């Protein structure tokens, strides 16, 4: 499961101008990855996404782009936008690339077909490899007391959805 948040923004200056970047925290598989993106980068990925999915409301541009209230509204808007797409269950490749995790494919069990269709339209191949495989033969039961191994039963139940006696 992917979770995103946009906790803050900051103003940067280069030799020609100043601009705002938004800090994005991406939580995936128990890890946090942090990136910073400008409004224009959000806008670019939004244009790609709206061609392939129904996107949440995108934060508008404002004339007073450095006003604290405007920046806070935009920050909240970006957070809602990103999490709204991620919560749909299938994360488009263009968003994975934007978030810096393009090598990982995120999908739910019932969204495999729609994901394959989307990747075909983007001329990309879909690949899936198992993450974990545990069988009864891999679990050693050194239980000499005659009690059931509830840890092994719990692991198997969580992985395979049924209770199995070890």
């Amino acid at each position: 499961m992917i979770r995103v948040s946009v906790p803050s923004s900051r103003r940067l200056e280069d030799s020609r101008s100043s601009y705002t970047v938004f800090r994005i925290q991406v939580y995936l598989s128990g890890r946090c990855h942090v990136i910073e993106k400008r409004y224009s980068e959000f806008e670019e990925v939004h244009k790609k996404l709206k061609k392939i999915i129904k996107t949440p409301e995108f934060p508008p541009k404002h004339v007073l782009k450095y006003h604290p209230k405007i920046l806070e509204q935009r920050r909240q808007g970006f957070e809602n936008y990103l999490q709204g797409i991620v919560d749909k269950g299938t994360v488009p490749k263009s968003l994975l690339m934007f978030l810096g995790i393009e090598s990982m494919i995120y999908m739910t069990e019932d969204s495999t077909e729609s994901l394959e269709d989307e990747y075909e339209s983007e001329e990309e191949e879909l690949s899936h490899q198992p993450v974990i495989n545990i069988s009864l033969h891999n679990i050693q039961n050194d239980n000499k007391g005659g009690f059931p191994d509830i840890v092994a039963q719990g692991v198997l139940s969580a992985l395979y959805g049924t209770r199995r006696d070890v």
Side-chain angles (χ1 to χ4, degrees), residues 107-124:
M107 66 180 137
T108 60
E109 290 178 23
D110 56 352
S111 65
T112 304
E113 250 178 60
S114 63
L115 185 64
E116 288 172 353
D117 293 342
E118 177 188 319
Y119 280 98
E120 285 173 13
S121 69
E122 291 185 8
E123 299 179 6
E124 294 287 332

Side-chain angles (χ1 to χ4, degrees), residues 10-166:
R10 66 185 178 122
R11 191 170 174 182
L12 296 176
E13 295 185 28
D14 62 17
S15 59
R16 296 176 293 170
S17 65
S18 64
Y19 55 92
T20 301
V21 292
F22 293 87
R23 180 185 173 118
I24 304 167
Q25 293 178 332
V26 183
Y27 300 91
L28 178 66
S29 301
R31 295 185 178 173
C32 181
H33 174 68
V34 179
I35 57 173
E36 291 183 331
K37 298 289 185 176
R38 296 176 67 163
Y39 183 92
S40 59
E41 293 172 293
F42 274 98
E43 195 171 40
E44 185 178 314
V45 78
H46 172 66
K47 288 176 185 177
K48 291 177 184 176
L49 291 171
K50 70 181 183 178
K51 291 178 183 177
I52 56 175
I53 63 169
K54 184 174 182 344
T55 62
E57 185 177 337
F58 188 76
K61 277 192 170 184
H62 293 286
V63 177
L64 301 172
K65 58 184 175 180
Y66 297 119
H67 191 274
K69 185 177 178 182
I70 300 294
L71 287 175
E72 176 58 18
Q73 288 173 347
R74 189 174 286 172
R75 183 202 64 76
Q76 288 177 351
F78 284 144
E79 185 169 278
N80 294 337
Y81 178 82
L82 293 173
Q83 193 60 48
I85 294 171
V86 168
D87 286 346
K88 290 183 179 189
T90 299
V91 180
K93 182 172 177 145
S94 51
L95 185 59
L96 291 174
M97 290 174 62
F98 175 78
L99 295 174
I101 53 174
E102 66 272 11
S103 63
M104 298 177 186
I105 296 176
Y106 172 73
M107 66 180 137
T108 60
E109 290 178 23
D110 56 352
S111 65
T112 304
E113 250 178 60
S114 63
L115 185 64
E116 288 172 353
D117 293 342
E118 177 188 319
Y119 280 98
E120 285 173 13
S121 69
E122 291 185 8
E123 299 179 6
E124 294 287 332
E125 282 188 34
L126 176 69
S127 67
H128 177 72
Q129 297 182 6
V131 175
I132 188 169
N133 184 12
I134 297 177
S135 69
L136 290 174
H137 304 292
N138 295 345
I139 298 177
Q140 302 227 343
N141 188 357
D142 294 333
N143 186 359
K144 297 188 186 343
F147 296 106
D149 187 345
I150 61 171
V151 173
Q153 288 175 358
V155 169
L156 291 171
S157 176
L159 290 172
Y160 299 110
T162 60
R163 181 174 176 219
R164 299 177 187 224
D165 292 324
V166 181

